[in-house]
Amino acid sequence: MSDRQITEIKGVGAKTAERLAALGLLKESDLLFHLPLRYEDRTQLTPLNALRAGVWAQVEGVIVHQSIRYARSRMLVATLADDTGQCLLRYFRFYPSQQRQLTEGARVRCFGEVRWTQQGFEMAHPQTQTVSDPSPSLPDHLTAVYPTTQGISQALIAKLIGQAVDRLVKGQLLLTEFLPSRGEAGVMDSLAEALVCVHRPGPHENIASLLEGNHPAIARLAREELLAHHLTVARQNHAREQQKAPVIQPKPVKGQSVVEQFIQGLGFEPTPAQKRVIDEITQDLGTHRPMRRLLQGDVGSGKTVVAGVALVMVAASGLQAAMIAPTELLAEQHHRTLKQWLTPLGIEVVWLTGKVTGKARASALERIANGSAVVVGTHALFQEPVVFKRLALAIIDEQHRFGVHQRLALANKGKREGELPHQLVMTATPIPRTLAMTAYAGLDVSVIDVLPPGRKPVKTVAMSQQRRDEVIDRLATVLREGRQAYWVCPLIEESEVLEAEAAETRSAELAKVLSDFKVALIHGRMKTKEKQAVMADFVAGKTHLLVATTVIEVGVDVPNASLMMIENAERLGLSQLHQLRGRVGRGSAQAACVLLYKPPLGEMATERLKVMRETTDGFVIAEKDLELRGPGEVLGTRQTGVMRFKIADLGRDAHWLEDMPTLAASLDEVAREGLIARWVGMAEAYIEV
Ligand code: ADP
Ligand code: MG
């Protein structure tokens, strides 16, 4: 028998199927590609007198005592005994069924983390299973622990995957081998063998290498996935070649080119790098072939001007263009900038984010439907009710904050019969070229590699937070000179609330000691209106010091701000520090960045701060980041929104890429289709990107 829909599996109802779909599990075979997060060793039982604190162990015995205790709350406590000793089982939350399971005399097998307390060894909330006497045999392989989702328990997903693996082993679930057998070292030849190894490694298997992904079984899977991805991109490119985008031919206004008028209005000359990219984009837009261009440029390199030119060209052709930013704050700033640039040219700019409601929203939607030229906003523009009259260009700023799917959603917005909008995506996160080719497969890449003239590199120092008073003196001096400054309090815990609180406390303190100046506060938990007002005041120079959480990280542009303080700098990654520092040094004054850290510094943190002191070059910093954190982290799908892989890791597996065209060429059409269906899904493969 072959593959089945997940709903055809016994015991999987509609609700469960829906939840499994959220994990990308639609077919029975998908279960096989849902890889473990980690493994537990349940191949042995630990005698109770051999327990050690801090170790995960599996134990088995008889319950000799059970009681409900009242400490801060009600808890269930049971004593487990075997021939060698005793151990306490503690449940801070419990169901009546657990109470029944742990009655005196019951025989149970428990797996959990061992703790040492004054009463002896105990396990809190161990996984518990009632067993018969004599007890059932132990598994002969390690037990996989899988990623789950709301409503899908570990037990359920493990059971479903276990059944699929059983069927694979018995030859009931057939997986076609599409790759030619090559007998290469370091790569398993058989797909089925690789899958069984990953789900049920023997007790002596090299688990670290399975988890890190350099195991021959993972190599087999990753390589196949990369191949499927390669095939998909080739297919999408082919599909795109069949599509047409509107040809952008700006009409002159008052006998003069609008682009020239736009540039004259800027008050500065575009850099050679900006001019080159503008030329590339102009060429792309001038043809029917839908543009898919990625613009990489370091913070402050002037990507917005380039975007502005593209918007103007489209508007002057009588068509629509949209520009999307990842945060309200940044969208608001673009709106301000673009209004200032475009209004004199007679181009209307519409503003739409999730926070625009009521009449304003209705009016924005109406103007978009009627064909208003330039629309600026956040991902609200992806949403259902937004209907464009004829969207010819979509620009996505700070693209690493968006997912591929969001980019596609916007493209689909503009899709009409046989027509796709052009796309420009911009990012300040430089990634090495080899990786960029796959991560941004299907995109042409432009780079702005020169900063606007007159910029002096930001001077960076690292100081212990014990010297905060000194830092505040320096801050006061800068403010007295009429300059502005940022004070960033980054995430102290994984909590926006705590982060906001820390920023609030700090801003109150600073307002007290810097009583001659106006100190303002901005954080992610404030209402959009408040944030906008705070930003507007800072831009206008009405406030002097802006205390902020990392919400200001992306794109904020206030040229008069020349000092950036970053607290807890030791906790931030290089690229984040670089982004934050990029907020200053945008004007002509010498800018400085103070990295405040809490000693003692770890080795990694020391190295990071050193890199920050030594260079301001985003590409150098990206390379360093890669070196320090490893490619997987740098490209982590969470951050970058690049192509998602189930198993492959672009950093780790980049060495396979070179081989892909040859491998692809060796396959017939059936194998190509099969691989795409297995790894990517047919629906997605046919989306025109
Ligand atoms: P980013 O690439 O980080 O988005 P921006 O587009 O925000 O950078 O530009 C940073 C600042 O530099 C802005 O104040 C912008 O007006 C200014 N700028 C851009 N290009 C030039 C240029 N060619 N000459 C002078 N200033 C420029
Ligand atoms: Mg920007």
Side-chain angles (χ1 to χ4, degrees), residues 449-465:
D449 47 8
V450 186
L451 291 183
R455 298 272 174 84
K456 302 183 192 89
V458 179
K459 283 201 177 130
T460 304
V461 292
M463 287 169 103
S464 156
Q465 65 176 20

Side-chain angles (χ1 to χ4, degrees), residues 327-330 332-333 336 485-490 496 499-504 506-508 519-539 543 545-553 556:
T327 63
E328 295 260 338
L329 198 60
L330 191 54
E332 166 66 17
Q333 177 181 291
R336 246 191 341 257
Y486 299 97
W487 186 295
V488 178
C489 311
E496 209 185 35
E499 188 184 37
E501 269 174 22
E504 250 160 59
R506 184 67 71 237
S507 95
V519 178
L521 169 68
I522 191 159
H523 59 69
R525 289 180 57 81
M526 285 162 49
K527 295 217 179 72
T528 309
K529 273 242 166 63
E530 296 173 82
K531 280 194 278 192
Q532 285 171 1
V534 169
M535 262 340 274
D537 282 353
F538 193 63
V539 172
T543 46
L545 175 65
L546 188 60
V547 178
T549 57
T550 44
V551 295
I552 61 147
E553 179 192 340
V556 171

Side-chain angles (χ1 to χ4, degrees), residues 182-194:
R182 304 213 290 192
E184 254 170 81
V187 192
M188 267 191 193
D189 242 355
S190 151
L191 174 64
E193 242 172 73

Side-chain angles (χ1 to χ4, degrees), residues 303-304 330 334 397-398 555:
K303 295 184 288 295
T304 319
L330 191 54
H334 282 327
D397 194 17
E398 305 296 349

